[in-house]
């Protein structure tokens, strides 16, 4: 197998090359059945409880691509460092993207993924925006399934924990011109996932200041490209200074509510027209099309108990609704945190109190319905068996 | 020396850790004089003419940092791949930044840098925005000077070529939470730099479409963080489809002119009030504070021949001025390209022709004045001797 490895000490050749324009579609060139596997000679000890994303399993998946040779055979191998050319454009120009989803161990001990093809499809969208090559989504998912199968002992038997899957796709182009990569590496790592936030508190607090913007029209806010996250850290630490756990990202002159931290956001309220409504900002280019977000919209629309809308929400609408006691609850959604109730928002010097959930709240019901599907207690066509 | 190496095959330890808040200032903990040097046993053959950023010299500088140990001793060593943990947050969240400047070999064979402390200072600003640690700017420059000295034979004896210096600063935090890095690597690589654009044409063509935005208020457009560049590629290739070499980035409803490709932009014209003016957009947060940009402003203000302003310029002002033949010339500026005249702009289906420079043009005069300083033909306090 002619595989140019980015792992360990085999180094990239530093050769000058002409890169022709990409053809429309590049697939993983081999079927997943051709996937090569090299098992780790020594398995790690599995710790009991860990911080999110700090402890990784024994194996990883790597698939290399070059404009001249296309996709190489996928390879499952012992978890190891990457060997990258110091000029590679993932490190200089943020030509990188990722996905995140989880594998859950049900009460029946079987392993389930939750709507993973939606992750594959979003990953393909991010790749297009980042000028990274296309890939066969079904085939990549099959490779991931095989990786999870090999490291299945890492999936905890716990209702509050799971194994997090992190597909990553980076340019390995070893030159400094700002251009479409001629080489790339798609890799997948797995890590233990307990609770995402370090706080014991039930509901989190948000800091909303219009001086920082997460994403903007004509940008990449609807993709999982690295640059969307690095630029958020500075504001995150200013949120800390205000005693808040996450940033509530605003947009535009009218301070539209967009996302919170790395979560989509939902408001359950009585709207201006007196209707009970569950609302979340629309996918207009600056909002990440979250899979938990989509699932919440689909579930609550099926309930048929209140209006469910994708609409713009501004801070002044929220403030007014809080004063008039029209807010029932507010929560963030995402794969890492799932559903996260919001208790406070610090905005223009005011500490806005958001009513807390109770056992009958939408937050609680959604958490139960989603985890019941994820852990296999409710049969669902959203489930993908490993 | 207790150095945790990110190079070659020494791997990062994958240990869980608590990261305390950073103190205000972290300096390189040792003086540059403590810098360790390991020379390459075999030197590469230097090619004659190469594409920008494709061929690197024999050595590189690396300096490691961790929140627990601070800055380690700087190290000049043979050029080699980096060994990075696959979870490191420079690859997932774009926690990365770079700088770019050049070393020129004068007619007297001596090596000169051009205002390098401005690069150090901008790099420190980018680091602050990226939540990467502070460093001693003077000391870093001294380390870079030593690196250039060691690889000095790579600096071409040519008026049109130079050696390009690429300081890079990345997070090496080996975990997936979106948080301030607990580990980082600052490294510097050197590469040959001929002409930045592959075109023989004198003046470049730009594609201006309001549907893409490079940077936005509240974002990181005034820093050299990787995410600013990766998100630009897609538009760049759409520019290609229109036969243009670069994107002219617009902003806002009124289609403000901001930057072109990776360059600042200047318009030399007779303005609406009938005054001869050299204008460039102001540093309002979405414009990179270019060092060539600043030097052009300072030089032309010293000339005292026309108005020199930092002001907003919109496409409608430009279109009107073109029709009324008030545009004298337009050019981009940046370290990689220096000064790059603009010949055409494709905007809303129209191909706008920008008048070309002649020998008396501001473009030509600035090119001469700047290269005369850079190559040591004009003594200047902007010069830093290697």
């Amino acid at each position: 197998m002619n595989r140019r490895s980015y792992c360990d000490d085999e180094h990239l050749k530093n050769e000058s090359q002409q890169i022709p324009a990409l053809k429309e579609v590049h697939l993983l060139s081999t079927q997943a059945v051709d996937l090569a596997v090299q098992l780790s000679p020594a398995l790690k000890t599995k710790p009991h409880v860990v911080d999110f994303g700090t402890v990784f399993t024994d194996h990883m998946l790597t698939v290399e691509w070059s404009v001249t040779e296309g996709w190489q055979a996928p390879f499952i191998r012992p978890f190891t460092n990457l060997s990258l050319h110091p000029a590679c454009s993932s490190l200089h120009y943020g030509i990188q993207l990722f996905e995140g989803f989880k594998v859950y161990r049900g009460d029946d001990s079987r392993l389930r993924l939750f709507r993973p093809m939606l992750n594959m499809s979003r990953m393909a969208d991010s790749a297009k925006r980042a000028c990274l090559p296309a890939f066969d989504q079904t085939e990549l998912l099959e490779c991931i399934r095989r990786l999870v199968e090999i490291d299945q002992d890492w999936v905890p038997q716990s209702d509050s924990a799971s194994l997090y899957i992190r597909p990553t796709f980076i340019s390995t182009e070893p030159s400094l011109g700002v251009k479409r990569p001629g080489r790339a590496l798609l890799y997948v790592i797995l890590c233990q996932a307990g609770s995402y936030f370090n706080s014991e508190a039930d509901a989190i607090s948000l800091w909303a200041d219009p001086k920082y913007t997460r994403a903007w029209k004509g940008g990449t806010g609807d993709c999982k490209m690295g640059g969307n996250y690095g630029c958020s850290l500075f504001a995150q630490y200013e949120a800390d200074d205000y005693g808040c756990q996450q940033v509530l990202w605003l947009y535009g002159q009218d301070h539209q509510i967009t996302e919170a931290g790395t979560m989509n956001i939902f408001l359950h309220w009585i709207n201006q027209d007196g209707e009970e409504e569950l609302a979340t900002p629309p996918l207009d280019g600056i909002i990440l099309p979250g899979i938990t977000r989509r699932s919440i919209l689909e579930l609550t629309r099926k309930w048929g108990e209140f209006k469910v809308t994708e609409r713009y929400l501004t801070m002044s609408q929220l403030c007014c609704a809080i004063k008039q006691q029209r807010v029932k609850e507010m929560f963030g959604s995402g794969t890492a945190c799932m559903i996260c109730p919001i208790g406070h928002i610090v905005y223009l010097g005011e500490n806005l109190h958001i009513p807390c959930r109770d056992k009958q709240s939408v937050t609680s019901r959604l958490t139960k319905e989603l985890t019941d599907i994820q852990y296999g207690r409710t049969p669902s066509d959203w489930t993908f068996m490993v």
Side-chain angles (χ1 to χ4, degrees), chain A:
Chain A
M1 204 180 313
N2 177 17
R3 185 184 301 118
R4 191 189 288 116
S5 175
Y6 288 93
C7 292
D8 280 332
D9 49 6
E10 292 176 52
H11 294 172
L12 261 181
K13 284 179 215 145
N14 175 22
E15 59 206 19
S16 173
Q17 58 171 3
Q18 293 303 314
I19 299 177
L22 284 185
K23 293 194 202 84
E24 262 310 287
V25 180
H26 284 260
L27 305 179
L28 289 165
S29 56
T30 55
Q31 293 300 313
V33 72
D34 288 343
L35 170 149
V37 178
Q38 179 194 337
L39 293 179
S40 179
L43 300 186
K44 299 175 196 168
T45 309
K46 294 163 192 67
H48 204 62
V49 181
V50 295
D51 283 347
F52 170 79
T54 56
V55 175
F56 296 85
T57 66
D58 294 300
H59 298 89
M60 66 196 293
L61 169 73
T62 61
V63 202
E64 293 169 26
W65 174 88
S66 78
V67 73
T68 47
E69 298 170 54
W71 284 104
Q72 301 299 298
F75 188 26
I76 292 175
R77 47 163 300 142
F79 188 94
T80 185
N81 271 14
L82 304 174
S83 177
L84 297 176
H85 192 282
C88 88
S89 58
S90 50
L91 292 173
H92 293 257
Y93 307 130
I95 305 176
Q96 56 179 245
L97 58 95
F98 66 92
E99 267 302 324
F101 54 117
K102 287 175 173 174
V103 50
Y104 307 89
R105 185 181 296 278
D107 300 337
D108 57 1
S109 251
R110 297 185 66 191
L111 303 185
R112 290 169 178 84
L113 304 176
F114 181 74
R115 313 186 85 180
M117 276 311 289
L118 295 181
N119 294 92
M120 296 298 101
S121 148
R122 188 172 62 184
M123 187 166 173
D125 290 344
S126 298
K128 192 172 176 198
R129 185 65 176 83
C131 290
L132 284 166
F135 55 89
D136 187 300
Q137 300 172 30
T138 311
E139 219 176 273
L140 176 58
L141 181 57
E142 171 58 15
C143 292
I144 292 173
R145 196 196 62 74
R146 293 279 297 276
L147 175 66
V148 171
E149 206 170 46
I150 287 169
D151 279 345
Q152 60 181 282
D153 289 349
W154 284 84
V155 187
Q157 181 89 55
S158 159
D159 256 19
S160 64
S162 56
L163 192 68
Y164 180 83
I165 303 170
R166 173 56 65 100
T168 317
F169 197 4
I170 61 172
S171 163
T172 48
E173 169 66 35
S175 65
L176 294 181
V178 180
K179 64 184 178 200
R180 193 193 289 274
R183 296 183 194 171
L185 175 68
L186 195 164
Y187 64 94
V188 182
I189 52 180
L190 310 173
C191 66
Q192 290 202 330
S195 169
Y196 186 73
F197 296 112
N198 268 323
S199 160
E200 289 299 305
D202 212 16
I204 64 163
S205 54
L206 303 179
W207 177 68
D209 191 308
K211 77 177 164 178
Y212 296 111
T213 314
R214 188 195 81 93
W216 68 106
K217 304 276 166 72
T220 59
D222 55 352
C223 295
K224 286 187 87 72
M225 284 178 67
N228 298 345
Y229 299 82
C231 70
S232 76
L233 277 189
F234 195 78
Q236 172 59 37
Y237 284 88
E238 199 158 329
D240 272 4
D241 292 342
Y242 287 86
C244 295
Q245 287 150 288
Q246 292 283 310
V247 177
L248 177 60
W249 300 101
L250 307 179
Y251 187 79
Q253 298 295 328
D254 53 352
H255 299 178
Q256 287 164 37
I257 291 168
T258 64
E259 296 192 16
T262 56
M263 303 181 289
N264 290 119
I265 202 156
F266 283 84
L267 174 65
H268 180 207
W269 68 337
I270 307 298
N271 69 19
Q272 304 102 310
D273 302 326
E275 303 163 302
E276 184 176 349
E277 182 182 54
L278 182 68
T280 191
L283 303 180
D284 61 351
I286 65 168
I287 302 292
L288 188 84
I291 289 150
T292 312
R293 174 190 180 280
R294 177 170 163 169
S295 303
I296 290 168
L297 290 173
E298 291 176 16
L299 280 179
T300 51
R301 278 178 181 145
K302 216 188 279 175
W303 294 355
E305 297 174 19
F306 41 74
K307 198 169 172 182
V308 178
T309 47
E310 293 167 82
R311 57 166 281 180
Y312 292 102
L313 296 164
T314 66
M315 280 306 294
S316 68
Q317 288 170 340
L318 176 65
C319 290
C320 175
I322 290 171
K323 274 193 197 118
Q324 298 176 353
Q325 301 188 304
R326 288 189 282 111
V327 173
K328 297 170 91 68
E329 58 193 318
M330 208 170 164
F331 57 93
S333 74
T335 295
C337 68
M338 204 157 55
I339 288 180
C340 179
I342 292 159
H344 289 270
I345 298 174
V346 175
Y347 171 65
L348 303 182
E350 259 193 288
N351 190 349
L352 308 171
H353 173 73
I354 311 292
C356 259
R357 61 174 181 171
D358 57 39
K359 287 263 164 75
Q360 263 58 54
S361 70
V362 167
T363 311
S364 304
R365 285 173 63 192
L366 280 172
T367 303
K368 183 170 185 319
E369 287 207 18
L370 286 169
T371 50
D372 280 352
I373 295 171
Q374 288 161 350
Y375 288 90
R377 292 183 287 263
T378 305
S380 165
D381 55 9
W382 289 352
T383 296
F384 177 97
M385 303 304 293
V386 171

